[in-house]
Amino acid sequence: GFYVNSTGATTISSCGVGRFQADYGASSCDPCAPGRSQSVIGSSSCDVCDVGKASDATGSDCVGCTAGKYNRFPGASTCLDCPLGRVSGSASMSSCSACIEGQYANVTGTSTCSSCPPGSFTSVTGSTNCIQCAPGYYQSGTGGSKCTICDPGKYQPYLNGSICVDCEVGRYAAVSGSDNCTTCYRGYVQGSLGQDHCDACPLGKYSSTI
C-alpha cells in the first residue's frame, strides 16, 4: 500500500484511493482493475464490487446500478440495461423483474412497466407490447389482461374497442361477440335498443322492412 517514487527518497508515500500496491519496494501504485475499487489510502489490494454495483471511473468506489439497470455478477465494471419486457424499479439490483399481465416494456433500460391502454391487453408476463381487442370484444380499462366478449344485443365492429354498443332499434344480435347487428326480417320488429331478437308482428299487423 506504499511506494517510494524516487532514488534516495527519505519518505514513503501512501497509495491514493482507487490505487494499490501489493509488493514491497515499489516505486509506484497500480490502479484498481475494472470491477474493483478501493476507498482507503495505503491499501495493498482492491475490493471486488458486489452484485448490483459497478466500479466508477476512478476505481475509488463501487456504485449501485441505477433504476432500469442491473448487474448479477460480482466484479463488474458496468451495469446492463434491463431487456425488453423487464424492469428494475430500484437502485443496486442484481436482476430485472418481468412486467406483470396487462403491462409491458417496449424499451430497454426502463424502471417501470406501462399499462396496456383501453382496447388492448396482454395475458402473459414479460410483454413488450399489447394486443388489440378483436371485433366483438372490448377492454374499457387500462392494464387489462384479457378482452371481454360483447353480450347478445350489443356489438363492437372495430379492432382496439373499448366499449360495446347497443344494437339500434329494428336490429338485433343473437349471440355474444357480435361485430355487427342484423336487421329484423319482414314480419318481425324490435322497438328497443340492445336486443338479442326481433318480435313477430301480432295478428292483424305487418312489417314490410327487411
Side-chain angles (χ1 to χ4, degrees), residues 66-70 72 80-90 93-100 103-114 124-129:
T66 58
K69 297 179 179 289
Y70 76 105
R72 59 179 176 154
L80 304 175
D81 285 341
C82 289
L84 297 174
R86 304 181 75 88
V87 298
S88 65
S90 303
M93 298 299 292
S94 61
S95 63
C96 301
S97 301
C99 294
I100 63 173
Q103 298 185 348
Y104 68 101
N106 60 0
V107 294
T108 60
T110 185
S111 60
T112 57
C113 299
S114 300
V124 298
T125 60
S127 293
T128 60
N129 55 61

Side-chain angles (χ1 to χ4, degrees), residues 132-145:
Q132 293 180 322
C133 293
Y137 292 77
Y138 75 101
Q139 174 52 254
S140 60
T142 59
S145 60

Side-chain angles (χ1 to χ4, degrees), residues 3-126:
Y3 70 103
V4 177
N5 61 5
S6 62
T7 303
T10 59
T11 59
I12 297 175
S13 300
S14 300
C15 294
V17 294
R19 305 179 71 84
F20 77 104
Q21 181 50 255
D23 299 324
Y24 292 102
S27 60
S28 64
C29 297
D30 298 318
C32 292
R36 295 171 178 262
S37 72
Q38 183 51 259
S39 60
V40 179
I41 63 173
S43 296
S44 61
S45 64
C46 297
D47 300 320
V48 176
C49 293
D50 293 333
V51 295
K53 295 184 177 183
S55 57
D56 65 7
T58 65
S60 62
D61 193 17
C62 292
V63 181
C65 298
T66 58
K69 297 179 179 289
Y70 76 105
N71 176 36
R72 59 179 176 154
F73 297 112
S77 58
T78 58
C79 295
L80 304 175
D81 285 341
C82 289
L84 297 174
R86 304 181 75 88
V87 298
S88 65
S90 303
S92 304
M93 298 299 292
S94 61
S95 63
C96 301
S97 301
C99 294
I100 63 173
E101 296 176 3
Q103 298 185 348
Y104 68 101
N106 60 0
V107 294
T108 60
T110 185
S111 60
T112 57
C113 299
S114 300
S115 295
C116 291
S120 65
F121 76 102
T122 177
S123 59
V124 298
T125 60

Side-chain angles (χ1 to χ4, degrees), residues 146-200:
K146 64 178 181 179
C147 295
T148 303
I149 192 169
C150 294
D151 292 330
K154 298 177 181 290
Y155 72 106
Q156 203 292 102
Y158 307 111
L159 286 171
N160 208 38
S162 61
I163 189 172
C164 295
V165 181
D166 286 337
C167 290
E168 301 85 355
V169 171
R171 296 168 64 83
Y172 72 101
V175 297
S176 301
S178 294
D179 59 7
N180 61 70
C181 298
T182 303
T183 301
C184 294
Y185 290 96
R186 289 188 180 94
Y188 289 82
V189 296
Q190 182 49 259
S192 300
L193 296 171
Q195 300 301 305
D196 61 2
H197 68 283
C198 294
D199 299 316

